[in-house]
Amino acid sequence: MPKLGMEPIRKAALVKATIVEIGRVGSLDVTVSQIAKRAGMSSALAHHYFGSKEEMFLAAMRHILTLYGAEVRGALALADGPESRLRSVLAASFSATNFRREAVGAWLNFWVLAQTAPEARRLLKVYQRRLRSNLLAGLRPLAGDRAEALADGLGALIDGLYLREVLKSGPPDRAAAIATALNYLNSQLEGAAHAGAAEGQSFR
Amino acid sequence: MPKLGMEPIRKAALVKATIVEIGRVGSLDVTVSQIAKRAGMSSALAHHYFGSKEEMFLAAMRHILTLYGAEVRGALALADGPESRLRSVLAASFSATNFRREAVGAWLNFWVLAQTAPEARRLLKVYQRRLRSNLLAGLRPLAGDRAEALADGLGALIDGLYLREVLKSGPPDRAAAIATALNYLNSQLEGAAHAGAAEGQSFR
DNA sequence: AAGTTTATTGACTCGTCAATCAACAAAAAC
DNA sequence: GTTTTTGTTGATTGACGAGTCAATAAACTT
């Protein structure tokens, strides 16, 4: 039966299966055998293609980030004007895709993994930088030099809202999350309009 | 050597050791033997007092939440007036304690655990409800009927800021996190003032 | 003093799992 | 048409780990 050119197909199947299994179990405590079985092959073959379980996890994480990136790009392509761009980023961040069990499991566990696996941390940083840059593109025309601060706050708010929606029992309310984020934006932008230029908000 | 009344002492030592080990390893992938060794006893004794590893995790989570609760209460005791109360909650949420390696490991992994362990989810809900109620106490005098929405947003923002500070490389910037949260508050309250709702003054 | 409760551990059971290997099959290259 | 490359797995290795248990010992009870 051995057809050639199996490698990409097998790898893709394993990545998908890895994400599904992590979502099913809710932790990184999944066995290579489970993953391989779901992907329709022996565990030996999984090792053959990925070398180690950790490599599988990292490939899965890359895949999740790629999906998210594609979703953002897709939404941005239809946007015109800064406000529309911001809305697109929010829509993508709170898309139904990101609330599927697999995606949730992946994100939560990748945060844990990022604590100790340098490559995972690197990937997470890539995601955050991209999100930040997308937000900035929409914010700069609206907020000028306050854009940086707003982007940081909004980025954190997005993560926090996601976390809460995901951990609460019952179905997540994506619209409410988006509304809260938009509300943050509106009030910050109104504030800038009233105050005129930037004013140093000194903490402490 | 068997002195009596060891149970609470042993349990406390185990809880502490559990948290330390989770922080050290960065995941829930710690063995009972590791924990017991750090707590200065045999793994059999750990099982004797806690029955299972899961019980140890839950006890550790309860302990973390208790510590956090105590910190908030302590800060609130010194506060006078709504603004001061809000500030206290923020200070406690971003206290140095919460950024120690053990606490970080605990929080991240408890989020993961909350996906599947009902008791963990319950505990997390208790934390969120308490945070929300503390925020509301400070917000209601300032924001009136908008307090609920603000508390939800601020709660998510706190979690999100914590997540970001914790996952970025380098030392966390607690002051920046507090500043961002205060900035959120200010702009939301100013918005309310303009809209003619409750009387809200900006505080910085 | 005999019996009960509490504290404590080393040794053991039973299972699991990541990773390796030998071996087999088919296509491609020579 | 033999050799090499690619695909594939069952069986095995080697390690580790959660939870149990029997045994030992000190303290409290009666």
Side-chain angles (χ1 to χ4, degrees):
Chain A
M1 336 264 183
K3 300 158 191 172
L4 288 218
M6 281 289 102
E7 175 154 0
I9 297 167
R10 294 298 200 187
K11 276 194 164 182
L14 282 169
V15 163
K16 215 168 171 183
T18 302
I19 295 170
V20 171
E21 281 300 297
I22 290 176
R24 198 178 61 79
V25 178
S27 79
L28 297 182
D29 217 345
V30 292
T31 72
V32 174
S33 300
Q34 280 168 19
I35 296 171
K37 184 173 183 183
R38 178 165 299 264
M41 72 195 78
S42 73
S43 72
L45 195 53
H47 275 105
H48 174 64
Y49 282 125
F50 275 105
S52 76
K53 195 161 76 154
E54 172 131 5
E55 278 306 316
M56 284 183 231
F57 286 162
L58 294 177
M61 187 163 174
R62 271 181 224 112
H63 189 244
I64 288 276
L65 291 176
T66 301
L67 282 190
Y68 171 75
E71 206 157 20
V72 173
R73 257 198 314 285
L76 280 179
L78 307 178
D80 59 335
E83 299 167 22
S84 172
R85 292 180 74 83
L86 289 172
R87 239 175 249 278
S88 293
V89 174
L90 289 180
S93 296
F94 295 111
S95 74
T97 314
N98 283 327
F99 285 90
R100 289 211 318 263
R101 189 179 255 99
E102 312 96 73
V104 171
W107 278 106
L108 289 182
N109 281 290
F110 289 159
W111 284 334
V112 166
L113 198 60
Q115 274 178 115
T116 54
E119 176 69 2
R121 176 169 295 221
R122 217 204 82 232
L123 290 171
L124 216 50
K125 217 174 292 181
V126 168
Y127 147 73
Q128 282 175 350
R129 212 173 25 229
R130 198 157 51 193
L131 173 58
R132 188 186 142 95
S133 129
N134 283 328
L135 291 175
L136 275 179
L139 283 171
R140 249 195 277 264
L142 300 176
D145 54 358
R146 282 188 66 223
E148 254 99 16
L150 289 198
D152 287 338
L154 188 52
L157 184 58
I158 288 173
D159 286 354
L161 286 169
Y162 180 73
L163 189 60
R164 298 212 150 201
E165 286 301 322
V166 139
L167 286 186
K168 86 177 186 193
S169 27
D173 187 344
R174 293 160 37 220
I178 294 180
T180 304
L182 283 179
N183 178 279
Y184 169 86
L185 268 181
N186 282 332
S187 83
Q188 291 280 342
L189 293 175
E190 278 168 26
H194 285 294
E199 54 175 353
Q201 76 287 5
S202 65
F203 40 86
R204 180 176 291 261
Chain B
M1 329 268 186
K3 302 156 189 171
L4 289 217
M6 281 288 101
E7 176 154 0
I9 298 167
R10 293 300 200 188
K11 277 195 163 182
L14 282 170
V15 163
K16 216 169 171 180
T18 302
I19 295 169
V20 170
E21 282 299 297
I22 290 176
R24 197 177 63 76
V25 178
S27 78
L28 297 182
D29 215 346
V30 292
T31 72
V32 174
S33 300
Q34 279 167 19
I35 296 171
K37 185 173 182 182
R38 179 166 300 263
M41 72 195 78
S42 72
S43 72
L45 195 54
H47 275 105
H48 173 65
Y49 283 126
F50 275 104
S52 77
K53 196 160 77 155
E54 172 130 6
E55 278 305 316
M56 283 183 231
F57 286 162
L58 293 177
M61 188 163 173
R62 272 181 223 111
H63 189 243
I64 288 275
L65 291 175
T66 302
L67 282 189
Y68 171 75
E71 208 159 18
V72 172
R73 257 197 314 285
L76 280 178
L78 308 176
D80 59 336
E83 302 169 21
S84 172
R85 292 180 74 83
L86 290 172
R87 235 179 250 281
S88 292
V89 175
L90 289 179
S93 296
F94 295 111
S95 75
T97 313
N98 282 329
F99 285 90
R100 289 213 317 264
R101 187 176 263 102
E102 312 95 72
V104 171
W107 278 106
L108 288 182
N109 282 289
F110 289 159
W111 283 335
V112 166
L113 199 59
Q115 274 178 114
T116 55
E119 175 69 2
R121 175 170 295 221
R122 216 204 84 233
L123 290 171
L124 216 49
K125 217 172 293 183
V126 169
Y127 148 74
Q128 282 175 349
R129 210 171 30 227
R130 198 156 52 193
L131 173 57
R132 187 185 143 95
S133 127
N134 283 328
L135 292 176
L136 274 180
L139 282 170
R140 249 196 276 265
L142 301 175
D145 55 358
R146 284 190 63 225
E148 254 100 16
L150 290 196
D152 287 338
L154 188 52
L157 184 58
I158 289 173
D159 286 353
L161 286 169
Y162 179 73
L163 188 61
R164 298 214 148 199
E165 286 301 322
V166 140
L167 286 185
K168 85 176 187 193
S169 27
D173 188 344
R174 294 162 34 223
I178 294 180
T180 304
L182 283 178
N183 176 278
Y184 169 87
L185 270 181
N186 280 330
S187 80
Q188 292 280 343
L189 293 176
E190 278 167 24
H194 285 294
E199 180 77 357
Q201 310 98 341
S202 133
F203 52 95
R204 60 192 74 99

